[in-house]
Amino acid sequence: MTSILMVCLGNICRSPLAHGIMEHKLNPNNYYVDSAGTADYHVSAAPDRRSIKVAKENGIDISSQRGRQFQVSDFDKFDHIFVMDNSNLNNVAKLARNASDMQKVKLILDTQKETTAEIVPDPYYGDFSDFEKVFKILDKACNYWIERL
Ligand code: 4NP
């Protein structure tokens, strides 16, 4: 079993989408996918309704996900930890205990030359079209990593 954790700030916009998209593409017998936020703002909350909507429009139900905060123990539980932006990367790096913890952590758009963005922009203060853009970016990024996991 390979385990993958998607991490953003609030765990209500970007990482729930990344979680849902990746889970949808992978065989659950071989892969476990989860998500978390570096902040505790939205612990136990459902994803943002705009993330739920854009996922649903693409055939993915993320409505039963609930927010949780990233824990140091996640370094032990997960093989791959994908973060959405440099701020998430710094926040996770602060909790890393050693180099092997950090080896698991990657920007989800790292090495993805075919997208123009290097970070997944935070759509929280944007409108629905920002969530549609994030969905497309993450869908491509997940395809990229699935070929390389
Ligand atoms: P996310 O977006 O990190 O993609 O879930 C955010 C959600 C909530 C907040 C910030 C970003 N917030 O400040 O509450």
Side-chain angles (χ1 to χ4, degrees), residues 6 113 118 133 142:
M6 301 297 191
K113 305 294 183 222
E118 285 173 9
K133 277 179 209 146
C142 288

Side-chain angles (χ1 to χ4, degrees), residues 31-45:
Y31 292 91
Y32 173 69
V33 185
D34 194 13
S35 60
T38 58
D40 64 359
Y41 313 146
H42 301 283
V43 169
S44 303

